[in-house]
Amino acid sequence: MKYFNYIIIVLGAIVAIYAKTGTEQNQYVLIGGIVILMVGIYRISKTIPSKSEDEDLNNDKN
C-alpha cells in the first residue's frame, strides 16, 4: 500500500508536467494532475505520527 501512494504522487507529477509542456496548455489536465499529486501526499502524511503524540507517550512513560 505504501508503494501505491508513491505511484499516485509520481503519476500526478507526470500528468501535471505533461499538461504544462504543451504549447496549448490544458488547465483541466493540470488541475487534475495537481489533485492526484496532493491526494498522494495526503495519504502518505496520514501515516506519519504527530510529533506531539510522540512527546506525550514519552512523558507518560517517565
Side-chain angles (χ1 to χ4, degrees):
M1 195 57 146
K2 178 174 72 171
Y3 295 113
F4 180 69
N5 295 333
Y6 292 119
I7 291 170
I8 290 175
I9 291 172
V10 170
L11 181 67
I14 290 171
V15 169
I17 290 170
Y18 170 76
K20 195 71 175 161
T21 58
T23 57
E24 187 175 313
Q25 298 173 354
N26 191 344
Q27 297 296 322
Y28 296 112
V29 175
L30 179 62
I31 291 170
I34 292 172
V35 167
I36 293 170
L37 179 67
M38 296 307 287
V39 166
I41 292 171
Y42 172 73
R43 288 174 54 106
I44 287 179
S45 70
K46 283 194 324 184
T47 62
I48 299 172
S50 169
K51 184 176 180 180
S52 63
E53 289 177 7
D54 291 339
E55 291 175 356
D56 290 342
L57 291 175
N58 289 337
N59 289 336
D60 291 340
K61 290 180 183 178
N62 293 331

